[in-house]
Amino acid sequence: MSVHTKRSYVHQAFEQGYVCVFPTEVAARSYLLDYALHSKKGAILKERAISFDTFRSYFLSRHETLRPSNELIRRLFIHQLLGEGASLTCLLNPAYPEANTRFATYLARLLPSLSAACDEQILSELDPELAHDLVLLYQRYAQFLATHQLFEPRYEAVHELPASEVGKQYCILFCDTISEATTLYEQLGRPSYLTLSPSPEPSDPATLTVHANHIQEIRSVIRSVHALLEQGVRAHSIIIGCASMDTLLGTLSEEARRYDVPLSVREGKSALSYPSGRFLSLLQEVYDQQFSLESLKSLLLDPSIPFGDRDTLHRFLARAVDKSIVKGSYELRDQYTEMLGQRELVSWYKDFKRSITSLVTARGIEEFRRKLNHFQDTYFVAEQWHGSADEEVYSFCLDTMQQVKSAMESCGLDSYPNIFSLLLSYLETRTYVRQQHETGIPVYAWPQVAPLIGEHLFILGLDQESSVCQDAPLSFLPEYVDPALIQGVDTTLANLKTACLGPASVHLSCHTKSYEGEALPPAYFFEHDALQAGNVDLSLDPYQEELLLHAGKPTASVRVTRSQQQWFAQALSTSLALRSDDTARHPVQSALVGRLYKEEEDGRYLSLSPTKLDLFLRCPYAFQCRHLLGIEEKNYDVQVVDHRQIGTLLHEVYQRFFSEIVFFDPGKMEEYESRLLFHFDQCLVDHYSLNGPTPSLRSYLVATYREQILAILAEEARLFADTRSIGFEQALTLKEDGLELYGRIDRIISLGDEDEKRYAVIDYKKSTVKAKRVTEDLASYQLPLYRHLVERVMGGKTANASYYSIAEGKYYSLWEHEDDEKALFCDDALAERLERIKDAVAQGLLMATPSKKSCEGCAYRSLCRRRFATA
């Protein structure tokens, strides 16, 4: 029988009567099913195919009184060893003992390989210091195992086949893809009941398609799979392998959803990757980041965590964002307790902080379990994860707690500092695989996919680096050690050959560029001249056909995906439907427009402020969204540098200074500098307390603005010497002609005697000023409106209207005399603008005025959809 395909190779071994040993349990089950479906016999006992791990377990030591060591026990041993002050001068740096705990996990991973590393021939090649550390570590570990009645499985010699398995003939198929197969065969003395069967050489190696980047590669594979499904190929007949699951799986899953390709990922993930496991890591993150607002938002806003009183959580976070709180601290008092300003929220935060702190700092599993139960009872809904998909994962995490407890008992430990961190680091290495697989095309990691059989096999990401399969337990030894002594086994070539075998239609691919950098194809395909450039084939792509159809070009008969059908149906009833009540294109109904007016005893008024005027000038629809529909733009992130709060701080500094001096005397510049700096320092304390918001940000504020605020003194001496400041944050309101005009002026200066009533109005800008001069098209009506209010409410004349740029340290005056042509032009422009707005609102003409300038950065584009893509 020919053995040029995987099927004939495996079927021949079955028919020869062997119990076949496969690299993985998945491969064993796959070939049992394949034999039952495609052989003449049509049936086979499931005991005829086992995984190598199962076969290897037949020869492991079995002790009646000793228990095997495991990863947890090894970590606890290293913890005890470091606590006893063991001198490992080469493996650990004695000058930095605080870093020892960071190396604990690394040292624990060395333990299973120490027996082989302490071979005399290897030790003779090592530096004396390193050899001493390895021997000392090995001796102390062996002593620890003996003391606690444990054994290290890797140190045990292989034993004979159990009596229950004697008489069977075994054949390890694809043995050259299993790093330990040959070693086990030699350790057993080449027994007659065991045969090694390497993978057959492919008669014609599959071609490796090289794509320019990972997006092209993934889309090419998904398009091909989509075409097969459209042709009627069953999903279980297609297998996808991925050599870089960590980096490619997310994009692969996303593209598969776009093309309605169902995937069933058979690779387990860390328990902490699931929502209920992520809850535990988020608790640790909150504590590690000293209760920073960002970490609290990640925990409290996670929709998968069953918090009970979400209203309190949201009010707490909203208040913290409003107060620009960055983080808390481990101390009793922090920014939350100082700045929240609401007793109920402060009390809630204190209890929450105390609960997390006691949980994270627990020293024993039972103590930790009690704290966790208390946290759940206090903050979770009664059912918690009951009945949800994450219940099993959470149970898995809780079972791991019992394993930690058992490991501590095995090591004779009653407590462990921050045992929660040990639990999390262990859970991070534990893989949880869901018991029920989703239906769809199975996706396996490389090299697990290499020996699998199917009608269509796709393996992507198969570049030189990602395809490497190497088992090197002594890789921690220095490079100068003879490579032959390190005992590394490279199975890369064997796996590549196995992947190329039929009878499946094999599609292998890689990409040369990705976000991680550049890559090269494996040398195997270079040597066999089996490389081809990847071409972007769009002939069967429904999305490409959609673009051609939109452009009015001829299209092929390609069926749309189910997702496209749903999207088009939704768009036809929403964004693509021309509705008469779409107020972005049609006038607002008069009944609805009435909400913009204030009904008072003396009449009906449309309220306008400088902000409303400028927003209407930019786009009437934005004005409608904000002030008629009440849609307010919210920012839920606390910026490291909160420029709005800094602007408030600087405004208050100037307000306190000018209200103190009142009259500006250019001869008192030194005194003014001292007082201005004093007010800056005092406002800094009042806004951020003595140490807030953070040391680095406080240094930034002082370095950037403390000296910068002094520039205003020279400008005051230039423009407003011997004048008197008479108003600060002055609110003026005027009702006339059906309008209620309102403005809050940062500062009003009297330019002469009180009887003259000549004033200057000042508006502070933290950054640069956009409207530096009066132009034919006014960019802002703020200062013209202030002039109008001062004239009508205060009965005076605005002889000067200026913006002061704190960043530039300069005044920009729009006019400097009450009868200036620029001032008169602004009066006329304001009157015309007010009349137009009044008429437009009365008629409901609040439609969108789309343009690049108007729409750029607009918060309401998703509602307007005038310059918004619908697909």
Side-chain angles (χ1 to χ4, degrees), residues 369-623:
R369 195 189 301 273
R370 289 195 303 271
K371 301 295 184 182
L372 182 60
N373 289 338
H374 175 268
F375 185 92
Q376 294 174 166
D377 293 341
T378 305
Y379 300 106
F380 282 5
V381 294
E383 60 270 19
Q384 298 181 18
W385 277 286
H386 180 68
S388 70
D390 287 299
E391 182 181 7
E392 295 179 355
V393 183
Y394 197 59
S395 298
F396 176 83
C397 295
L398 297 182
D399 292 342
T400 304
M401 291 168 52
Q402 185 59 41
Q403 296 175 27
V404 174
K405 180 181 179 181
S406 299
M408 292 178 64
E409 292 174 349
S410 298
C411 299
L413 290 175
D414 296 326
S415 64
Y416 185 92
N418 297 335
I419 198 168
F420 188 33
S421 62
L422 173 66
L423 174 65
L424 287 180
S425 62
Y426 182 57
L427 280 173
E428 193 171 2
T429 64
R430 297 291 308 282
T431 299
Y432 178 82
V433 182
R434 291 192 183 278
Q435 300 302 309
Q436 297 295 328
H437 290 302
E438 298 177 357
T439 58
I441 298 170
V443 180
Y444 297 97
W446 173 264
Q448 186 183 23
V449 70
L452 298 185
I453 187 171
E455 293 181 17
H456 301 275
L457 177 63
F458 295 84
I459 305 180
L460 49 90
L462 209 59
D463 59 73
Q464 175 66 34
E465 182 177 355
S466 301
S467 63
V468 170
C469 307
Q470 189 168 18
D471 182 16
L474 299 182
S475 59
F476 62 89
L477 295 176
E479 295 181 356
Y480 59 75
V481 177
D482 185 357
L485 299 175
I486 295 182
Q487 304 175 11
V489 179
D490 192 333
T491 60
T492 305
L493 182 59
N495 279 293
L496 289 174
K497 291 180 179 180
T498 302
C500 291
L501 289 170
S505 173
V506 181
H507 306 269
L508 308 180
S509 62
C510 72
H511 55 271
T512 56
K513 290 184 179 180
S514 67
Y515 298 130
E516 284 71 38
E518 298 187 2
L520 293 173
Y524 173 77
F525 297 99
F526 275 114
E527 296 169 355
H528 289 80
D529 193 23
L531 293 175
Q532 70 176 15
N535 297 318
V536 180
D537 184 8
L538 301 177
S539 59
L540 296 176
D541 189 336
Y543 290 97
Q544 179 66 17
E545 296 300 307
E546 179 184 326
L547 295 176
L548 293 176
L549 186 64
H550 179 73
K553 298 180 180 179
T555 61
S557 56
V558 178
R559 293 172 55 188
V560 298
T561 66
R562 185 178 66 255
S563 298
Q564 284 177 305
Q565 292 176 340
Q566 293 174 349
W567 294 337
F568 284 130
Q570 292 173 355
L572 287 173
S573 61
T574 55
S575 59
L576 297 182
L578 297 178
R579 300 174 52 172
S580 59
D581 60 349
D582 182 2
T583 55
R585 294 169 171 80
H586 303 288
V588 181
Q589 297 177 2
S590 57
L592 186 59
V593 171
R595 299 180 183 179
L596 287 172
Y597 293 91
K598 295 175 64 176
E599 299 288 347
E600 298 187 3
E601 294 181 358
D602 57 343
R604 185 176 184 231
Y605 297 97
L606 174 65
S607 179
L608 293 176
S609 65
T611 305
K612 290 183 177 181
L613 276 172
D614 290 344
L615 184 60
F616 196 100
L617 173 64
R618 177 170 182 167
C619 178
Y621 185 74
F623 175 89

Side-chain angles (χ1 to χ4, degrees), residues 268-286:
K269 298 187 295 184
S270 165
L272 300 181
S273 300
Y274 297 91
S276 54
R278 185 171 65 246
F279 157 68
L280 298 175
S281 60
L282 289 175
L283 287 177
Q284 182 72 52
E285 183 179 314
V286 167

Side-chain angles (χ1 to χ4, degrees), residues 214-223 226 248-261 263 541 543:
H214 71 291
I215 299 295
Q216 286 187 10
E217 179 186 9
I218 290 174
R219 286 181 178 171
S220 176
V221 169
I222 293 299
R223 288 191 192 104
H226 173 76
L248 299 184
L249 183 58
T251 306
L252 179 67
S253 301
E254 181 180 344
E255 291 296 324
R257 283 192 294 270
R258 290 183 65 241
Y259 286 86
D260 288 339
V261 174
L263 298 183
D541 189 336
Y543 290 97

Side-chain angles (χ1 to χ4, degrees), residues 171-281:
C171 179
I172 303 180
L173 300 177
F174 306 106
C175 66
D176 47 350
T177 67
I178 306 173
S179 60
E180 297 183 7
T182 303
T183 302
L184 177 63
Y185 183 65
E186 296 295 336
Q187 290 175 342
L188 292 172
R190 301 190 176 192
S192 59
Y193 60 78
L194 181 58
T195 301
L196 299 183
S197 178
S199 307
E201 192 76 24
S203 57
D204 186 16
T207 301
L208 179 73
T209 303
V210 182
H211 295 272
N213 56 65
H214 71 291
I215 299 295
Q216 286 187 10
E217 179 186 9
I218 290 174
R219 286 181 178 171
S220 176
V221 169
I222 293 299
R223 288 191 192 104
S224 300
V225 173
H226 173 76
L228 290 174
L229 295 175
E230 289 293 310
Q231 294 168 15
V233 176
R234 299 291 185 89
H236 63 76
S237 300
I238 306 172
I239 297 176
I240 297 179
C242 187
S244 301
M245 291 284 274
D246 292 342
T247 57
L248 299 184
L249 183 58
T251 306
L252 179 67
S253 301
E254 181 180 344
E255 291 296 324
R257 283 192 294 270
R258 290 183 65 241
Y259 286 86
D260 288 339
V261 174
L263 298 183
S264 176
V265 180
R266 303 299 173 86
E267 179 77 359
K269 298 187 295 184
S270 165
L272 300 181
S273 300
Y274 297 91
S276 54
R278 185 171 65 246
F279 157 68
L280 298 175
S281 60

Side-chain angles (χ1 to χ4, degrees), residues 24-128:
T24 62
E25 186 67 34
V26 173
R29 292 197 302 266
S30 173
Y31 282 103
L32 280 174
L33 181 61
D34 184 75
Y35 187 83
L37 292 175
H38 296 95
S39 69
K40 295 180 180 179
K41 296 181 179 179
I44 188 172
L45 294 173
K46 67 176 183 178
E47 292 82 5
R48 294 287 305 282
I50 60 175
S51 69
F52 181 78
D53 286 343
T54 301
F55 182 67
R56 178 73 173 79
S57 67
Y58 292 161
F59 307 97
L60 294 180
S61 302
R62 294 170 179 80
H63 298 276
E64 295 183 1
T65 59
L66 302 183
R67 288 168 295 174
S69 181
N70 55 37
E71 182 181 350
L72 276 170
I73 291 176
R74 297 182 193 114
R75 292 191 185 189
L76 293 173
F77 160 72
I78 294 297
H79 164 70
Q80 288 182 301
L81 184 69
L82 297 177
E84 295 169 1
S87 178
L88 301 174
T89 56
C90 189
L91 294 176
L92 300 174
N93 192 335
Y96 300 97
E98 64 276 6
N100 288 354
T101 54
R102 294 181 177 271
F103 291 94
T105 303
Y106 168 73
L107 293 177
R109 291 173 182 168
L110 300 185
L111 296 177
S113 305
L114 284 180
S115 178
C118 290
D119 179 83
E120 291 185 3
Q121 191 174 1
I122 293 179
L123 292 175
S124 64
E125 294 199 16
L126 298 177
D127 292 334

